[in-house]
Amino acid sequence: MIETTGDDRRFPPALADVARAEFDYDEGEGVDFEPYDAFDSAEETTHWLRQWTGNHELDGDAYRVFGQDGTGGLAAVWCARPGRPTAEQPVVFMGSEGECGVVAGNLSDFLWVLADGFGPMEAVEYPDREPRPDAALAELAERH
């Protein structure tokens, strides 16, 4: 069965592999990313989104949070394409200080961003940073 965003919060195999990957912070010069091994619950996501935006009418249904940086900024799948599988949805970063942006157009592209040595925060905040290719993450991207 192909998982679509309306199905549930099943964690894609690619993100499960990312959760087992090593990310080297390298004293602030590396990747500041702490992947989760499951999506946050709908309740946790809604609570965080309401706090982040100050809008207590919102719900978090459009987001599947799967990681964070050291300051609490979140990485999420943004379910912006109704009826499409989770893997075909954009990946976004929402920072602890209001920063936000699209990290990748889909999950496959996100894996290649990681393989180039960028975490979600680095991809949004420092897109011109010199890539730091990671062979293990490139192999993970090739598998998926």
Side-chain angles (χ1 to χ4, degrees), residues 48-142:
W48 185 87
L49 188 62
R50 287 176 177 175
Q51 296 301 312
W52 191 69
T53 63
N55 181 346
H56 297 283
E57 309 263 323
L58 292 176
D59 65 44
D61 287 350
Y63 301 96
R64 304 291 186 269
V65 176
F66 65 87
Q68 68 180 43
D69 69 7
T71 68
L74 300 179
V77 173
W78 175 27
C79 302
R81 299 176 179 134
R84 302 297 294 268
T86 301
E88 294 179 15
Q89 304 292 338
V91 173
V92 297
F93 174 74
M94 297 175 281
S96 63
E97 300 299 319
E99 317 88 341
C100 63
V102 175
V103 176
N106 58 49
L107 193 52
S108 177
D109 290 349
F110 174 66
L111 299 177
W112 288 106
V113 168
L114 295 175
D116 274 347
F118 291 85
M121 183 272 294
E122 291 84 14
V124 169
E125 292 294 303
Y126 308 107
D128 295 328
R129 183 179 112 167
E130 190 69 28
R132 298 173 64 172
D134 182 303
L137 290 170
E139 192 275 324
L140 187 154
E142 287 174 2

